[in-house]
Amino acid sequence: MVRNSQDSGNESEIRIKSGRESYPVVIGGRLDDLAGRLSIFGVGRLFLITDRRVHELYGAKLLRDLSGAGWRTAAAVLPPGERTKSLYRLERLYAAGVEAGLERLSLVLALGGGVVTDLAGFFAATFLRGLPLVNVPTTLLGQVDAAIGGKNGLNLPAGKNLAGTFYQPRLVYCDLDTLATLPFRDYRSGLAEIIKCGVIRDPDLFDLMERGIDGFKRRDPYLLRRAVTAAVRVKRALVEADPLERTGLRRELNFGHTVGHGLEKAGGYRRFRHGEAVALGMLAEAELARRRGLLASAAADRLGRLVAAYGFRTRAAGCPLEGVLSALLHDKKKQDGRVKFVLPAAIGRTVTCDDVAQAELAAVLKIFIN
Ligand SMILES: NC(=O)c1ccc[n+]([C@@H]2O[C@H](COP(=O)([O-])OP(=O)(O)OC[C@H]3O[C@@H](n4cnc5c(N)ncnc54)[C@H](O)[C@@H]3O)[C@@H](O)[C@H]2O)c1
Ligand SMILES: [Zn+2]
């Protein structure tokens, strides 16, 4: 195996810059080694935020390790699921933080999927005006997406992710072994985001996803390591270029998500896992690009075959077209009357379009939704 200077043993490190600061994303670290690693922050108080399922699998043992290493720990163990990203849970976390006697330098450790890292990120950004945060994502989606880039979020009654801040973690620590216990649909949901990274920026990653279908289905550790590393590099390039989502560059990460969000919303956030909606969204948006002459049919077909090969649904039966369209039009209101689409121009390159007509969109959606 080729090693670079940042590799040590089985783990490798990708540094993400944010203003004058930067933080490492460790890929292939082991949870068993985490307590030792955290001593660089100065052993003191630590507040673990996790969900019940992850706590049973990994959190309880980690807390014992941390206590053994001298940390004074407290934990908030949340119910698993999207509903946990709420103001109610945030308020409970604030109360628990007070009770645990957290101070400005106490460490917040988020252990879990995107739900946990989003809520814990918001908590860490705001409690006592900001506590140091370490993200330990345990889902594939968390490791390639939610835990990096500094965005956090909460759902409000009016909609998903309507409250949030940009707040960078001090460290992101990914133990790839934790992916072995993920339910298959959650695991595959993360694969969709990796395919997306290949389409927008990294043709080699796309090739790897094509060549490694059986291996990825088996969760082959070598393949996962390569794919997670490549996907984190894609995300790094975009978040470093557009840290606060101001220049539009970060928007590339939204390929598949404009239609995907419409599908999720129309399905009441129950019908699809996020990545399942994104997979279908990528197909619809690639078809839009193909019809506009932006994307060669051969490339659109390649994406279609890949998404199908991983077992994603390539049609959303029973999902009302009207509902998906009106969810998209809701976005439209927010963006001065135009829906912005990131469309692929090749495997590895995108363009932004803001002139997609409603009839054009409806015609494409009809192919994928019936
Ligand atoms: N902030 C961002 O930039 C960003 C980016 C993408 C997604 N998100 C957010 O992430 C959330 C989705 O994250 P997710 O897909 O990780 O879902 P999730 O956090 O709900 O986790 C999915 C399920 O897997 C379980 N789980 C987690 N790790 C496990 C493991 N190792 N073994 C067994 N079970 C495990 C959890 O208990 C949960 O039931 C959404 O709320 C989304 O808005 C945020
Ligand atoms: Zn996504």
Side-chain angles (χ1 to χ4, degrees), residues 183-210:
F184 179 71
R185 283 181 70 189
D186 290 303
Y187 169 71
R188 196 180 53 185
S189 185
L191 292 179
E193 296 285 2
I194 296 177
I195 293 172
K196 175 199 78 180
C197 289
V199 176
I200 62 176
R201 283 265 167 153
D202 189 344
D204 291 341
L205 175 58
F206 192 88
D207 284 350
L208 183 73
M209 299 303 291
E210 281 182 329

Side-chain angles (χ1 to χ4, degrees), residues 305-317:
R305 280 195 300 274
L306 186 62
V307 163
Y310 280 102
F312 288 106
R313 269 193 270 175
T314 52
R315 291 224 164 3

Side-chain angles (χ1 to χ4, degrees), residues 290-354:
R290 195 187 65 77
R291 289 181 173 210
R292 294 189 143 220
L294 292 168
L295 181 69
S297 292
D301 292 347
R302 251 179 102 186
L303 176 61
R305 280 195 300 274
L306 186 62
V307 163
Y310 280 102
F312 288 106
R313 269 193 270 175
T314 52
R315 291 224 164 3
C319 198
L321 178 66
E322 288 310 309
V324 180
L325 259 180
S326 78
L328 283 170
L329 297 181
H330 175 73
D331 278 352
K332 185 173 170 166
K333 263 188 269 160
K334 284 191 295 196
Q335 293 170 354
D336 291 341
R338 285 175 192 277
V339 185
K340 281 204 171 67
F341 278 93
V342 173
L343 299 181
I347 301 296
R349 192 160 55 83
T350 64
V351 291
T352 302
C353 294
D354 62 2

Side-chain angles (χ1 to χ4, degrees), residues 145 193 257 274 278:
D145 195 359
E193 296 285 2
H257 284 63
H274 175 69
V278 169

Side-chain angles (χ1 to χ4, degrees), residues 78-79 83-95 119 154-157:
L78 305 159
R83 282 168 60 97
T84 285
K85 271 174 52 174
S86 66
L87 284 171
Y88 169 73
R89 289 290 163 196
L90 178 68
E91 206 175 341
R92 299 268 302 251
L93 279 184
Y94 288 146
L119 181 65
L154 288 185
N155 303 327
L156 302 181

Side-chain angles (χ1 to χ4, degrees), residues 155-173:
N155 303 327
L156 302 181
K160 265 195 65 159
N161 292 325
L162 288 184
T165 77
F166 287 96
Y167 188 69
Q168 306 300 332
R170 300 287 176 89
L171 164 70
V172 179
Y173 192 83

